[in-house]
Amino acid sequence: MAATLAAVREAILTTLQTAIPGLNVYAYEVEQITTPALMVYPTESEPLNLPETEMLQTIDLLLAIQRTDLVAAQTELDAYVSHTGTNSIRAALMAAGTLGGVVQSFLFDGDWRNVGAYDVGDITYHGATMTIRVMN
């Protein structure tokens, strides 16, 4: 049986908060965040007719950094969007493999993109997005 969307959200949250201390991960949309923050936004679910794989879920990740000093914000963002390093979100997810056994597998749909300004609530942050596709 496929993992629920709630279980996938929580697995991403747990994986990243464990791997990257100081990164505030929000499994659900909220109106106020503490930066640096990563928000999990499911965008699509589709059934699959493959052995042992019931669903393909598309999930957007939004990374937000405080924007008071744009150069400092970009420098901080760089550490999280890098492919390697202690703050690399990609490396942390790849190391987790099945997100603690919650999913069969997942893949990255491209790399971080849309670097720029993002509004969360009434505050503008510096950020980027990445899409992952989860099979379970």
Side-chain angles (χ1 to χ4, degrees):
M1 182 171 181
T4 65
L5 190 50
V8 174
R9 287 174 182 262
E10 290 298 323
I12 293 169
L13 179 144
T14 301
T15 297
L16 292 176
Q17 284 188 330
T18 301
I20 307 174
L23 179 63
N24 300 291
V25 182
Y26 298 88
Y28 294 89
E29 185 174 357
V30 295
E31 291 191 23
Q32 272 188 314
I33 60 172
T34 300
T35 58
L38 182 97
M39 289 155 284
V40 179
Y41 291 102
T43 57
E44 183 180 0
S45 288
E46 60 183 274
L48 296 176
N49 290 327
L50 299 173
E52 300 179 27
T53 303
E54 295 179 26
M55 293 294 293
L56 175 65
Q57 296 167 324
T58 303
I59 298 174
D60 285 344
L61 305 176
L62 169 60
L63 175 62
I65 305 293
Q66 188 158 353
R67 191 180 166 92
T68 51
D69 175 341
L70 198 50
V71 172
Q74 184 60 59
T75 300
E76 187 174 359
L77 186 81
D78 288 350
Y80 292 106
V81 302
S82 174
H83 286 218
T84 61
T86 57
N87 286 341
S88 169
I89 292 168
R90 178 185 282 270
L93 289 171
M94 290 194 61
T98 61
L99 300 176
V102 173
V103 303
Q104 265 192 322
S105 64
F106 68 90
L107 56 92
F108 296 96
D109 188 4
D111 208 344
W112 291 96
R113 62 189 179 284
N114 302 322
V115 174
Y118 287 88
D119 291 335
V120 178
D122 294 333
I123 301 174
T124 301
Y125 297 93
H126 189 64
T129 60
M130 179 171 36
T131 300
I132 60 173
R133 295 184 188 270
V134 176
M135 288 154 274
N136 61 46

